[in-house]
Amino acid sequence: KEKLEINREQRALMKAIVDAYNRHQIPEDVAKKLLQDQYSPEENFLLLTEMATSQVQVLVEFTKNIPGFLSLDREDQIALLKGSAVEAMFLRSAQVFSRKMPTEHTDVLEERVRKSGIPDEFMTPMFNFYKSIGELHMVQEEQAILTAITILTPDRPYVKDPQAVERLQETMLDVLRKLCVLQHPQEQQYFARLLGRLTELRTLSHYHSEMLASWRMNDHKFTPLLCEIWDVQ
Ligand SMILES: O=C(c1ccccc1)c1ccc(-c2nc3ccccc3n2[C@H](C(=O)NC2CCCCC2)C2CCCCC2)cc1
């Protein structure tokens, strides 16, 4: 029977990641804003670009605290951030959506997102993803480590030393696997289901440039950081 308990080193790794994840929260809670008012597509697009810009800054700070990340090749660090930013944004949006709140608030939030200006053809895959994340009832350690695993994906474009990234990712996967067994002893395949969400996340993120281009309004303005990260303009 392989050793299942999380050893001291893994506990330190997990603590470093969860502390960083909690320290770098999104400043303004977009859900609160959306629950307050119904905005026009233009206002919603502005809200998205503001939220997404601050989230990318938060993501960079979080990533710098992933043990081992800063010892990767500098250009690979950039390639990993660029390659995971959209996925990290959808993952964070899913976590915002599935946060514990009264049912009527979730319904209003869903309505506001549905009517925000995002083209209809993306609604089903996007909300399927949000709901599948919600059903997992992830604890914050799992959310933080899953975000780190998403960032440390070796097969992002332009990564020169994927093996170095794979070594870091495998360390995270091992901690997450043990955490899942400990946190969800009844659900045998919980860890596998969690990883399955990353596949769904990658598929959803492929749409992102069309989602942006067909946001129901014209002359979409982006911040320089988003132009860099989202490959737009
Ligand atoms: O089309 C999208 C897209 C995806 C990738 C690249 C570019 C565009 C695309 C991108 C996010 C959401 C999205 N799904 C959400 C679920 C719940 C709550 C808000 C959500 N949002 C947006 C949002 O602000 N997300 C924050 C969440 C914190 C981290 C930074 C991002 C708002 C923006 C105001 C209008 C309505 C949706 C919905 C759709």
Side-chain angles (χ1 to χ4, degrees):
K1 187 147 171 25
E2 77 192 307
K3 276 189 313 102
L4 238 201
E5 85 282 352
I6 294 177
N7 63 43
R8 213 155 21 86
E9 191 190 340
Q10 289 175 319
R11 200 167 296 285
L13 178 79
M14 196 159 67
K15 187 173 175 348
I17 292 174
V18 173
D19 289 351
Y21 191 74
N22 289 336
R23 231 186 0 262
H24 304 120
Q25 284 288 0
I26 305 288
E28 158 67 16
D29 189 327
V30 63
K32 217 177 281 142
K33 260 181 125 86
L34 289 169
L35 287 169
Q36 263 156 6
D37 286 313
Q38 170 87 37
Y39 300 102
S40 70
E42 288 73 12
E43 287 164 328
N44 276 318
F45 194 82
L46 182 64
L47 181 56
L48 168 67
T49 51
E50 284 165 359
M51 291 310 297
T53 300
S54 72
Q55 189 254 344
V56 170
Q57 289 153 346
V58 162
L59 186 74
V60 171
E61 285 317 303
F62 168 68
T63 306
K64 280 158 64 177
N65 289 281
I66 298 176
F69 182 82
L70 291 178
S71 50
L72 291 171
D73 173 278
R74 174 74 42 165
E75 286 172 355
D76 283 359
Q77 292 178 26
I78 305 288
L80 293 178
L81 272 167
K82 201 166 148 39
S84 62
V86 170
E87 289 179 23
M89 183 186 67
F90 270 125
L91 196 50
R92 181 68 94 166
S93 297
Q95 284 152 7
V96 169
F97 188 75
S98 21
R99 207 180 281 163
K100 198 93 206 75
M101 62 175 102
T103 318
E104 62 272 12
H105 284 191
T106 307
D107 296 345
V108 169
L109 183 57
E110 176 160 351
E111 197 49 34
R112 293 277 154 81
V113 176
R114 282 189 184 281
K115 295 221 173 344
S116 62
I118 304 157
D120 295 345
E121 64 267 27
F122 300 119
M123 284 305 159
T124 309
M126 193 173 76
F127 277 104
N128 284 348
F129 175 69
Y130 290 170
K131 289 175 181 164
S132 65
I133 287 288
E135 281 154 14
L136 289 169
H137 302 294
M138 276 190 270
V139 297
Q140 64 172 7
E141 291 82 354
E142 288 163 341
Q143 289 185 11
I145 299 174
L146 196 69
T147 305
I149 287 167
T150 304
I151 295 161
L152 294 169
T153 299
D155 62 340
R156 297 293 187 201
Y158 315 115
V159 170
K160 298 176 294 185
D161 183 0
Q163 285 78 18
V165 181
E166 200 160 356
R167 274 194 297 277
L168 287 183
Q169 192 190 48
E170 267 157 21
T171 314
M172 306 286 153
L173 284 162
D174 195 40
V175 176
L176 184 63
R177 182 175 51 77
K178 292 182 177 179
L179 191 64
C180 289
V181 173
L182 293 171
Q183 294 281 349
H184 310 265
Q186 295 79 9
E187 296 162 78
Q188 282 303 319
Q189 294 312 319
Y190 183 84
F191 177 57
R193 280 172 60 208
L194 210 45
L195 297 189
R197 300 286 76 84
L198 295 187
T199 312
E200 203 179 338
L201 183 56
R202 195 179 286 217
T203 312
L204 188 66
S205 304
H206 283 315
Y207 296 132
H208 88 270
S209 32
E210 297 100 273
M211 282 173 100
L212 280 165
S214 39
W215 195 289
R216 279 200 307 278
M217 60 176 257
N218 39 41
D219 94 297
H220 307 103
K221 283 188 189 49
F222 302 96
T223 59
L225 182 57
L226 290 183
C227 291
E228 187 56 42
I229 285 278
W230 284 354
D231 288 330
V232 287
Q233 204 107 19

